[in-house]
């Protein structure tokens, strides 16, 4: 694999890259992943025999105090539990700097927990709104002598899982990937046979641990990380830092695990760890109604049936100089009530300046959609212009319903003219 590819692979898998990709619908649509919190990830690592510092979660300042106390007065780290990387260098919306603090007393744990819990942590991966911190993790402090980076990911190009490792781990790994790609070692892994002990040891030697014992420990971790990746249908197992401590231990001091949503049926124990408070509320709400919704950052609300047509719709809007506010596939079996719900969700975004309904009636009947549109428009007091294109099954009936509704609906037959109208009225 070329360095260029390795770098791009690493970059494309960081949450930062993923969040900036959200404005590109075709990428945002490819896959939804489950992420789980660090305090839960460490349990999973431990189950696979991978060492981490000892830790306890806490939901209140008092629990944080007790947790810190249980480490016998030794220094601990307090870590905000939000589903985003870059916590160490982040800041809270109440002014507190840093989502990771090294502290010496249980009182400090209580004090910091009281500031972190209930606040939003903003990091370079969260966007300006940040993520709500509901819990903190109290971990025994260890002193890293050196910080490494290791991750297992799927590589689209080789169509294999790969282990990515660097001896320049820590909070600036993205910069390392950009400026010093030679510092990243990428190793393809045979899907069936896993990562061999010899190969793993070879990687560890290249990274340069302090001695044979540490090389062996690191290699052992690499092998087990892949085992976890495979057994749990993970899409991302990222450890940063993998630390060699002053006392010669090799430990995973942070963990970011992602899982393939398509595997939820056979990974129930993992998927029950989902924390919806970390997800976009509109997206969570939509999923409950069987609507496939992804928020984007434009101002034209979209309501479409079929993922392919939905993507084409976003493209045509973009092509006409508009910016879609969302991807929304209402599916093939939506009821009028679900359509109304879809409108509500689209309208929950403050930025909406027009709504574009683009339905190709097949299994989904146009008249059902039209009824949903009329209901929603009346009940929700719709004030933004509504551009509608309905074609296919029960099209004539649908048009009749819209005409008789007395509502001001801009109806079109052609996709291009409808899209350009939706763009025009949004301006
Ligand atoms: P992230 O910023 O979200 O990636 O959070 P991390 O869990 O990786 O913590 C950020 C940084 O804090 C790490 O890269 C370490 O340098 C540091 N850190 C974390 N735990 C400890 C610890 O126990 N002792 C010391 N000295 N530093 C720590
Ligand atoms: Mn980290």
């Amino acid at each position: 694999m070329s360095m260029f590819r390795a770098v791009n692979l690493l970059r494309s898998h960081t949450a930062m890259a993923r969040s900036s990709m959200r404005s590109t619908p075709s990428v945002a649509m490819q896959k939804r992943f489950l992420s789980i919190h660090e305090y839960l990830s460490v349990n999973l690592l431990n189950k696979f025999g991978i060492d981490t510092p000892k830790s306890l979660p806490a939901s209140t300042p008092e629990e944080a105090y007790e947790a810190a106390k249980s480490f016998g007065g030794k220094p601990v780290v307090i870590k905000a539990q939000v589903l985003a990387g870059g916590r160490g260098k982040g800041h809270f919306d109440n002014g507190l700097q840093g989502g990771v603090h090294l502290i010496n007393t249980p009182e400090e744990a209580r004090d910091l927990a009281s500031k972190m819990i209930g606040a939003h942590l903003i990091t370079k991966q969260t966007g300006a709104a940040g993520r709500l911190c509901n819990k903190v993790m109290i971990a025994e402090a260890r002193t890293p002598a050196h910080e490494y980076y290791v991750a297992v990911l799927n590589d689209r190009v080789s169509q294999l899982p790969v282990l990515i490792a660097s001896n320049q781990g820590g909070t600036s790994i993205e910069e390392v990937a950009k400026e010093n790609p030679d510092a990243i070692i990428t190793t393809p892994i045979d899907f069936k046979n896993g990562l061999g002990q010899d190969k793993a040891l070879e990687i560890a030697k290249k990274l340069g641990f302090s001695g044979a014992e540490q090389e062996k420990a690191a290699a052992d971790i690499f092998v087990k990380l892949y085992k976890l990746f495979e057994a749990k249908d993970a899409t991302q197992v990222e450890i940063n830092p993998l630390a060699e401590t002053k006392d010669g231990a090799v430990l995973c001091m942070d963990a970011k695990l992602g899982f393939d949503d398509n595997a939820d049926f056979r990974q129930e124990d993992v998927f029950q760890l989902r924390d919806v408070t970390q997800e976009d509320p509109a997206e969570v709400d939509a999923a409950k109604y069987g609507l496939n919704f992804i928020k984007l950052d434009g101002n034209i609300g979209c309501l479409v049936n079929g993922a392919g047509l939905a993507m084409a719709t976003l493209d045509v809007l973009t092509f006409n100089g508009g910016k879609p506010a969302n991807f929304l596939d209402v599916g093939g079996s939506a009821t009028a009530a679900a359509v109304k719900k879809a409108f509500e969700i689209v309208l929950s975004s403050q930025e909406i300046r027009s709504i574009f309904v683009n339905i190709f009636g097949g299994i989904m009947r146009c008249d059902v959609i039209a009824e949903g549109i009329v209901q929603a428009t009346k009940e929700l007091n719709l004030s933004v212009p509504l551009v509608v294109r309905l074609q296919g099954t029960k099209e004539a009936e649908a048009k009749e319903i819209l005409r008789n509704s007395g509502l001001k609906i801009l109806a079109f037959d052609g996709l291009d003219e409808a899209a350009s109208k939706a763009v025009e009225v949004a301006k």
Side-chain angles (χ1 to χ4, degrees):
M1 175 183 292
S2 73
M3 282 309 164
F4 179 73
R5 248 176 61 209
V7 174
N8 276 309
L9 184 63
L10 173 59
R11 244 187 269 155
S12 73
H13 278 84
T14 63
M16 177 172 60
R18 241 188 288 146
S19 68
S20 69
M21 274 191 234
R22 292 172 67 85
S23 56
T24 313
S26 57
V27 178
M29 253 325 284
Q30 277 164 4
K31 190 61 59 67
R32 318 303 305 282
F33 296 119
L34 169 74
S35 293
I36 62 171
H37 283 296
E38 180 190 18
Y39 75 94
L40 299 165
S41 298
V42 298
N43 295 340
L44 207 49
L45 292 175
N46 296 158
K47 259 189 210 150
F48 279 78
I50 301 162
D51 267 353
T52 62
K54 288 190 190 61
S55 64
L56 288 167
S59 303
T60 63
E62 220 36 55
E63 278 176 30
Y65 173 86
E66 293 300 333
K69 218 171 131 186
S70 76
F71 287 107
K74 281 184 272 176
V76 295
V77 277
I78 179 167
K79 308 175 86 175
Q81 297 299 286
V82 301
L83 289 180
R87 295 167 302 168
K89 290 184 172 171
H91 67 276
F92 287 87
D93 55 358
N94 59 13
L96 177 66
Q97 286 298 314
V100 178
H101 290 250
L102 183 60
I103 51 179
N104 292 307
T105 67
E107 285 76 18
E108 281 176 278
R110 176 163 53 206
D111 179 50
L112 278 168
S114 75
K115 290 173 180 147
M116 290 180 173
I117 295 170
H120 287 78
L121 179 63
I122 298 136
T123 80
K124 61 185 176 185
Q125 296 185 358
T126 62
R131 292 260 161 79
L132 178 62
C133 175
N134 286 314
K135 281 188 167 63
V136 295
M137 185 176 110
I138 305 290
E140 60 169 337
R142 303 294 294 260
T143 311
H146 192 84
E147 297 190 350
Y148 301 85
Y149 173 97
V150 59
V152 183
L153 306 165
N154 284 315
D155 176 27
R156 187 175 293 261
V157 180
S158 59
Q159 300 188 16
L160 286 172
V162 289
L163 187 112
I164 293 180
S166 173
N167 69 359
Q168 296 181 37
T171 50
S172 306
I173 187 67
E174 280 91 356
E175 278 86 83
V176 175
K178 219 180 301 173
E179 280 149 30
N180 190 9
D182 291 354
I184 292 165
I185 303 167
T186 304
T187 311
I189 301 173
D190 183 279
F191 191 79
K192 279 239 169 66
N193 300 322
L195 180 64
Q197 202 76 42
D198 292 353
K199 191 80 204 168
L201 198 56
E202 206 180 292
I203 301 165
K205 282 187 200 294
K206 279 190 204 156
L207 293 179
F209 287 86
S210 68
E213 198 184 313
Q214 285 74 23
E215 282 169 359
K216 168 91 186 44
D220 191 50
I221 289 175
F222 299 160
V223 170
K224 288 169 175 169
L225 287 176
Y226 179 71
K227 284 191 177 146
L228 186 160
F229 179 88
E230 205 240 314
K232 295 293 170 187
D233 290 308
T235 51
Q236 176 190 38
V237 173
E238 185 188 61
I239 308 298
N240 186 28
L242 170 74
E244 180 177 335
T245 60
K246 285 252 162 68
D247 49 5
V250 181
L251 293 166
C252 296
M253 294 188 52
D254 184 15
K256 273 232 295 291
L257 305 188
F259 303 89
D260 186 344
D261 266 7
N262 293 316
D264 58 355
F265 70 98
R266 62 179 185 194
Q267 300 292 355
E268 279 174 30
D269 56 332
V270 173
F271 277 78
Q272 70 176 13
L273 306 176
R274 177 163 241 145
D275 177 2
V276 293
T277 68
Q278 303 289 300
E279 298 175 24
D280 187 295
E283 293 183 12
V284 175
D285 201 24
K288 281 191 210 142
Y289 287 82
L291 303 164
N292 190 0
F293 174 86
I294 296 167
K295 199 166 157 30
L296 302 170
D297 52 14
N299 59 6
I300 304 171
C302 298
L303 199 153
V304 189
N305 68 324
L309 186 60
M311 293 214 281
T313 305
L314 303 185
D315 284 349
V316 174
L317 286 172
T318 308
F319 186 71
N320 277 283
K323 284 194 101 190
N326 65 280
F327 170 100
L328 173 58
D329 168 16
V330 298
S333 55
T335 57
V339 171
K340 189 184 149 222
K341 186 71 203 177
F343 266 94
E344 265 176 49
I345 290 167
V346 169
L347 287 168
S348 68
S349 159
Q350 301 296 313
E351 290 82 40
I352 298 290
R353 293 290 169 271
S354 72
I355 294 184
F356 183 24
V357 177
N358 186 19
I359 299 293
F360 182 74
I363 299 169
M364 180 79 248
R365 286 163 37 185
C366 291
D367 59 336
V368 172
I369 297 282
E371 248 156 50
I373 292 173
V374 171
Q375 264 184 36
T377 312
K378 286 188 174 153
E379 288 175 36
L380 304 172
N381 278 322
L382 192 70
S383 58
V384 297
L386 185 57
V387 177
V388 177
R389 174 181 179 255
L390 294 167
Q391 295 234 295
T393 312
K394 300 267 181 189
E395 176 182 327
E397 288 84 344
K399 286 179 172 162
E400 185 74 15
I401 292 168
L402 294 185
R403 218 175 301 119
N404 293 339
S405 71
L407 295 166
K408 193 168 163 280
I409 291 168
L410 305 161
F412 292 88
D413 287 329
L415 175 56
D416 221 24
E417 45 176 355
S420 72
K421 192 66 177 179
V423 173
E424 184 196 313
V425 294
K427 283 193 174 134

